[in-house]
Amino acid sequence: MEKVTRLASQNGVVIFTKSSCCLCYAVKILFQELGVNPTVHELDKDTVEGREMEKAIARLGCSAPIPVVYIGGKLVGSTNEVMSLHLSGSLIPLLKPYSATLS
Amino acid sequence: MNSPSTQFVSSRRMGVYDPIQQINMWGESLKSNVNLAASIPLIDEAEIKFDSQSEDASHGMLGTNNKYDQEASKPIDKIQRRLAQNREAARKSRLRKKAYVQQLESSRLKLMQLEQELERARQQGMYVGGGLDTNHLGFAGPINSGITTFEMEYGHWVEKQNSQILELRNALNSHIGDLELRILVDDMMNHYSEIFRMKSAAAKADVFYVMSGMWKTTAERFFLWIGGFRPSELLKVLLPLIEPLTEQQRLDVCNLGQSCQQAEDALSQGMEKLQQTLADSIAAGQLMEGSYIPQMATAIEKLEALVSFVNQADHLRKETLQQMSRILTIRQAARCLLALGEYFQRLRALSSLWSNRPREPA
């Protein structure tokens, strides 16, 4: 869990994904469309701590195990949460500090 | 239906005309099929009357002729010519009728065959949805109870939807208060939540069924995007119908539309990636070798990911509806839901008209 927190507290948008997950890819595309370049950590590529991180993230209780999104060190949630935020207009304000095009 | 023809048959002098036996045969062969045969009596009686008239006339005339045989040959010529013409006309008429009956017979057989095929298809679990033409029946597989349940529930859902639309229209026309209107609006919103819940269960049972919109009518399926309607398109349709809006509302709706569009694009690109990786995993290893078990395992994983896409698309639809209800006043929301409901009713009506339209004979 420490590695998760450490990676998550990096500034900007952090997404934990798996390389085979196409929904994760979709979320990444959305952020890119909004002018943000997210930091993507593929859990299946981390051979040492990947499994532990996966379990820790699952315990966070998001709507899905992956992708899991952090913005500015704060947990946002999975795809459902990101989409809901975006439709309600609340996502872009969160992204403003981290985007060249939005601010 | 058969009694008129048999009556005539028994009253005729047998053996003179072949058609008597023919009429008997028609009667027998058509006895077993009540429906198709029901349309024949009109022709039967008319032509039989004609036949019997010509026959009785000729018999009567022959009877008369026998008396004056040697004496009057000229009138006899004329009479005999007319008799011959009558016989010819009757013969042609019987041939036409025979052709018609044969056509009806072959249509009846074809109909029976189609009915049997359909029954077989239903039993084998092919999903025959509303407005679905036979070209789109899926391949035969084991009966999927999850889908059967969904189809049954969907039928009820549409019925309830139609009655809610009616109630809403009456309420808006009768100037009821906001409180009562809110109840109707909430009911309809809950009803939409219900279809999304049903679709989620159906996606677990058969994601391809949901992806292909198999329960929808043909015109609805034309607009299909990941197992349902595209929310941004729907907003474009509805926006002009819910005017007047305040400036803030108009801005909010436009922003909602834009966010929707962006989310849809992201999901569409995710779907494309899924297709690509599925194609890659199927083609991985050596094509042309004839063995492909390892590729199948990865491919199956990819297909399972479809379920999450369908669920995500439905989540987007649900969120769009909820956002609209937050932006709009209760009266605007009511009109919006009414417009939405009627839009889909019209699409379904269009599908029905389309499939029933008169076609040029091949």
Side-chain angles (χ1 to χ4, degrees):
Chain A
M1 189 66 215
E2 294 86 31
K3 187 166 183 189
V4 172
T5 336
R6 184 171 41 87
L7 290 172
S9 56
Q10 286 169 352
N11 231 0
V13 180
V14 177
I15 319 182
F16 293 97
T17 69
K18 274 192 185 173
S19 56
S20 56
C21 172
C22 292
L23 203 52
C24 301
Y25 176 79
V27 170
K28 186 183 81 166
I29 293 287
L30 180 62
F31 282 117
Q32 285 173 347
E33 255 184 59
L34 301 177
V36 175
N37 220 359
T39 316
V40 177
H41 297 289
E42 289 177 333
L43 296 173
D44 52 334
K45 292 286 166 70
D46 189 333
T47 45
V48 179
E49 292 175 87
R51 297 238 61 197
E52 281 306 308
M53 289 168 69
E54 227 183 294
K55 286 184 202 160
I57 281 168
R59 268 181 257 126
L60 290 172
C62 299
S63 51
I66 47 153
V68 167
V69 176
Y70 284 81
I71 301 180
K74 289 211 182 71
L75 174 66
V76 168
S78 188
T79 326
N80 274 1
E81 286 77 34
V82 172
M83 295 288 179
S84 300
L85 273 179
H86 191 41
L87 289 190
S88 67
S90 315
L91 186 64
I92 290 185
L94 286 180
L95 297 175
K96 274 220 170 93
Y98 312 110
S99 158
T101 55
L102 289 178
S103 45
Chain B
M1 176 246 121
N2 291 309
S3 34
S5 53
T6 46
Q7 274 170 10
F8 277 108
V9 168
S10 54
S11 68
R12 284 171 189 272
R13 296 162 220 196
M14 301 293 287
V16 181
Y17 286 88
D18 287 339
I20 298 165
Q21 292 170 350
Q22 247 175 29
I23 291 167
N24 229 355
M25 289 191 314
W26 293 330
E28 289 310 301
S29 66
L30 290 169
K31 245 181 214 164
S32 44
N33 186 319
V34 182
N35 287 332
L36 283 177
S39 53
I40 293 186
L42 294 169
I43 307 138
D44 255 349
E45 289 170 34
E47 301 211 359
I48 286 170
K49 277 187 194 129
F50 176 65
D51 287 350
S52 68
Q53 276 167 15
S54 63
E55 186 196 337
D56 289 342
S58 56
H59 272 289
M61 292 307 273
L62 275 172
T64 325
N65 283 347
N66 285 334
K67 286 184 196 169
Y68 304 106
D69 222 359
Q70 293 91 16
E71 292 164 56
S73 54
K74 263 194 190 169
I76 285 171
D77 278 341
K78 240 198 239 174
I79 287 161
Q80 281 187 334
R81 213 177 334 123
R82 187 144 53 87
L83 287 178
Q85 284 169 355
N86 279 357
R87 282 198 294 274
E88 189 52 36
R91 190 181 70 89
K92 284 191 181 147
S93 152
R94 283 188 296 270
L95 285 175
R96 278 200 306 271
K97 180 173 181 179
K98 187 177 177 187
Y100 179 74
V101 169
Q102 279 172 352
Q103 198 189 41
L104 282 177
E105 281 290 302
S106 60
S107 299
R108 174 171 79 98
L109 280 172
K110 181 128 190 261
L111 185 65
M112 273 166 53
Q113 275 169 9
L114 283 175
E115 281 175 355
Q116 279 171 12
E117 265 179 45
L118 199 60
E119 193 48 56
R120 220 178 296 130
R122 283 192 207 275
Q123 283 169 3
Q124 285 170 3
M126 291 189 208
Y127 313 127
V128 185
L132 199 60
D133 64 46
T134 50
N135 289 332
H136 293 277
L137 288 172
F139 68 93
I143 295 174
N144 192 325
S145 63
I147 298 301
T148 320
T149 309
F150 175 81
E151 293 206 321
M152 193 188 65
E153 287 180 349
Y154 181 69
H156 298 150
W157 188 89
V158 173
E159 274 172 29
K160 192 169 172 199
Q161 174 81 335
N162 287 337
S163 70
Q164 282 184 339
I165 290 171
L166 202 59
E167 217 182 339
L168 200 54
R169 196 182 301 125
N170 291 337
L172 282 170
N173 287 337
S174 72
H175 313 291
I176 66 168
D178 278 5
L179 278 176
E180 293 110 313
L181 205 53
R182 174 169 290 284
I183 292 171
L184 291 179
V185 167
D186 285 348
D187 278 350
M188 216 176 217
M189 292 293 283
N190 289 335
H191 198 51
Y192 277 112
S193 297
E194 190 54 30
I195 188 73
F196 293 127
R197 186 200 61 75
M198 284 160 54
K199 279 174 75 181
S200 174
K204 288 200 191 88
D206 182 350
V207 70
F208 282 105
Y209 178 89
V210 179
M211 275 291 298
S212 317
M214 299 291 279
W215 71 97
K216 287 176 182 281
T217 61
T218 40
E220 286 176 285
R221 261 183 281 127
F222 180 61
F223 294 96
L224 207 65
W225 174 77
I226 312 186
F229 60 84
R230 197 183 268 267
S232 61
E233 282 306 312
L234 221 51
L235 283 179
K236 283 186 205 153
V237 167
L238 294 174
L239 184 54
L241 302 174
I242 50 178
E243 295 280 0
L245 295 169
T246 66
E247 274 312 305
Q248 183 61 48
Q249 282 180 324
R250 201 171 296 118
L251 186 66
D252 287 342
V253 174
C254 281
N255 286 339
L256 177 62
Q258 193 182 32
S259 311
C260 238
Q261 186 87 62
Q262 287 164 336
E264 285 165 17
D265 285 347
L267 284 182
S268 294
Q269 289 191 53
M271 279 291 285
E272 277 174 25
K273 180 109 201 289
L274 186 62
Q275 275 189 331
Q276 185 198 312
T277 56
L278 179 64
D280 287 347
S281 60
I282 296 223
Q286 297 129 326
L287 284 168
M288 300 184 284
E289 283 296 318
S291 98
Y292 44 76
I293 308 293
Q295 292 85 334
M296 291 298 115
T298 345
I300 295 250
E301 270 175 38
K302 296 275 157 235
L303 289 182
E304 280 162 357
L306 264 179
V307 179
S308 52
F309 270 95
V310 168
N311 287 338
Q312 207 57 62
D314 275 351
H315 177 258
L316 201 64
R317 293 172 186 120
K318 196 172 166 187
E319 279 295 304
T320 307
L321 284 176
Q322 280 172 355
Q323 278 303 316
M324 281 296 272
S325 75
R326 270 175 229 146
I327 294 170
L328 302 174
T329 66
I330 197 64
R331 206 150 282 269
Q332 287 167 329
R335 285 176 41 226
C336 182
L337 286 174
L338 180 60
L340 180 63
E342 278 202 34
Y343 179 75
F344 283 111
Q345 277 180 336
R346 289 188 190 186
L347 270 182
R348 281 182 224 122
L350 178 64
S351 305
S352 190
L353 284 170
W354 176 257
S355 58
N356 290 327
R357 77 196 188 284
R359 276 160 240 246
E360 295 293 313

